Amino acid sequence: MPTPNVEAVKLDELNAWRIRHGQAELLVAQQGAHILSYQVDGQPPLIWLNDQATFKTGKSIRAGVPVCWPWFGNLTRNPDSVQAMRVSNDPATAHGLVRAMDWELKGIETEGESLKVEFVLPYPENGLSGWPHQVDLTLTIVMDERLHIHLTSHNRGSETVSLSQALHSYFAVSDVRNVQVEGVDGLSYIETLDDWNTHTQAGNLHFAGETDRIYLDTPPTLSILDPHWERRIELTSSGSRSAVIWNPWTERAKAFSDMADDGWQRMLCIETANVMDDVVTLLPQASHTLGVSIGSKPL
């Protein structure tokens, strides 16, 4: 059984842990329970660590795997049931409330050949800002031959709660202009760059400009084919029927202060999600787990 190596590190203002298990290394921050990078020895990274990312208290990080919860994206674009959960007249932050909060590291332990890292975000004593619902969160990360990420929402209150969410994964690619996504052929998708109209995907998805699409009724497995790095990244989701595929391309990337002008070339987001008609409805005392398992194999 491999012995894990855990090192506490400081990234500017943020606490983080660098964890080695077998041939893999994981970097995860306490703020947001945010996976920052994941790489297997001798291979390119799987999870993209943006070299221009900023690590400031209370500021969300543009890299790795942000947790978007209890709503995804712009709240006003969410179904009415999700919007109704918020009780505030102040503008809603994009992608919810928990990306910039400190989570508790509950434990790091081996389970057979696997290593489990668990973070919890109990319902705060004073509630979440403008969101007065008693839902606890657990983020579980398991390292074995793949990387497994599971986000569990547990409704401890007496009222039904509706939420949208995503594991906003940034994947490392050799050059997004030369990769394609397999598994989307024939799927309906919402093209947010075309006034949120619905289209049907024909064949694999290739990239030749800014991309921001919500794919509906997705299959369990999607793949990124990267011929230059001669690999296939496989994503196998659970608790999800939707996925968001995003790349900012040239002009959007230039507008980001925390991304190099050419950073868009080296990343591709496929976000395992519960969005649009795939939102989660949690009855009192009920739980829901959103998950994704990530691995790579030669093309």
Side-chain angles (χ1 to χ4, degrees), residues 119-186:
F119 288 90
V120 294
L121 187 67
Y123 176 70
E125 184 177 340
N126 298 319
L128 294 171
S129 177
W131 203 82
H133 309 288
Q134 297 181 28
V135 181
D136 293 342
L137 289 178
T138 302
L139 186 83
T140 305
I141 305 164
V142 174
M143 301 169 67
D144 49 29
E145 72 282 355
R146 295 165 69 91
L147 178 68
H148 310 271
I149 311 167
H150 291 95
L151 178 67
T152 299
S153 305
H154 183 190
N155 183 4
R156 299 191 183 279
S158 58
E159 299 179 350
T160 298
V161 175
S162 293
L163 58 92
S164 63
Q165 59 183 342
L167 298 168
H168 192 316
S169 309
Y170 287 74
F171 292 97
V173 296
S174 61
D175 188 327
V176 72
R177 294 167 293 189
N178 297 325
V179 307
Q180 53 188 291
V181 177
E182 183 181 74
V184 293
D185 182 32

Side-chain angles (χ1 to χ4, degrees), residues 20-43:
R20 285 199 59 86
H21 180 67
Q23 295 187 322
E25 182 173 288
L26 173 78
L27 181 64
V28 58
Q30 181 177 13
Q31 180 172 283
H34 193 133
I35 294 171
L36 297 173
S37 66
Y38 175 80
Q39 184 168 9
V40 177
D41 291 347
Q43 299 180 21

Side-chain angles (χ1 to χ4, degrees), residues 14-238:
L14 302 187
N15 296 320
W17 292 269
R18 181 174 284 109
I19 302 168
R20 285 199 59 86
H21 180 67
Q23 295 187 322
E25 182 173 288
L26 173 78
L27 181 64
V28 58
Q30 181 177 13
Q31 180 172 283
H34 193 133
I35 294 171
L36 297 173
S37 66
Y38 175 80
Q39 184 168 9
V40 177
D41 291 347
Q43 299 180 21
L46 274 172
I47 300 298
W48 183 64
L49 177 57
N50 171 12
D51 59 10
Q52 298 293 312
T54 55
F55 304 109
K56 300 293 185 183
T57 301
K59 178 176 173 55
S60 57
I61 306 164
R62 194 185 303 281
V65 187
V67 175
C68 305
W69 188 97
W71 62 81
F72 176 81
N74 184 330
L75 179 60
T76 63
R77 286 290 188 177
N78 280 256
D80 291 344
S81 61
V82 175
Q83 295 187 49
M85 294 291 100
R86 187 167 186 266
V87 185
S88 175
N89 293 322
D90 296 331
T93 55
H95 292 320
L97 299 169
V98 303
R99 289 188 299 162
M101 296 179 66
D102 274 352
W103 294 48
E104 298 175 17
L105 177 60
K106 186 175 180 181
I108 301 174
E109 60 185 12
T110 55
E111 294 183 344
E113 296 297 313
S114 303
L115 182 73
K116 183 173 80 170
V117 182
E118 190 169 69
F119 288 90
V120 294
L121 187 67
Y123 176 70
E125 184 177 340
N126 298 319
L128 294 171
S129 177
W131 203 82
H133 309 288
Q134 297 181 28
V135 181
D136 293 342
L137 289 178
T138 302
L139 186 83
T140 305
I141 305 164
V142 174
M143 301 169 67
D144 49 29
E145 72 282 355
R146 295 165 69 91
L147 178 68
H148 310 271
I149 311 167
H150 291 95
L151 178 67
T152 299
S153 305
H154 183 190
N155 183 4
R156 299 191 183 279
S158 58
E159 299 179 350
T160 298
V161 175
S162 293
L163 58 92
S164 63
Q165 59 183 342
L167 298 168
H168 192 316
S169 309
Y170 287 74
F171 292 97
V173 296
S174 61
D175 188 327
V176 72
R177 294 167 293 189
N178 297 325
V179 307
Q180 53 188 291
V181 177
E182 183 181 74
V184 293
D185 182 32
L187 297 184
S188 295
Y189 66 90
I190 297 170
E191 178 57 88
T192 70
L193 304 177
D194 179 28
D195 201 25
W196 290 68
N197 286 312
T198 300
H199 301 263
T200 301
Q201 178 71 38
N204 291 349
L205 175 60
H206 300 255
F207 299 90
E210 182 181 352
T211 302
D212 191 359
R213 297 178 175 183
I214 301 170
Y215 282 83
L216 309 172
D217 294 315
T218 52
T221 299
L222 299 175
S223 298
I224 300 172
L225 309 184
D226 191 336
H228 182 70
W229 280 349
E230 298 180 341
R231 77 173 180 188
R232 169 195 299 269
I233 301 176
E234 277 191 353
L235 296 66
T236 303
S237 63
S238 56

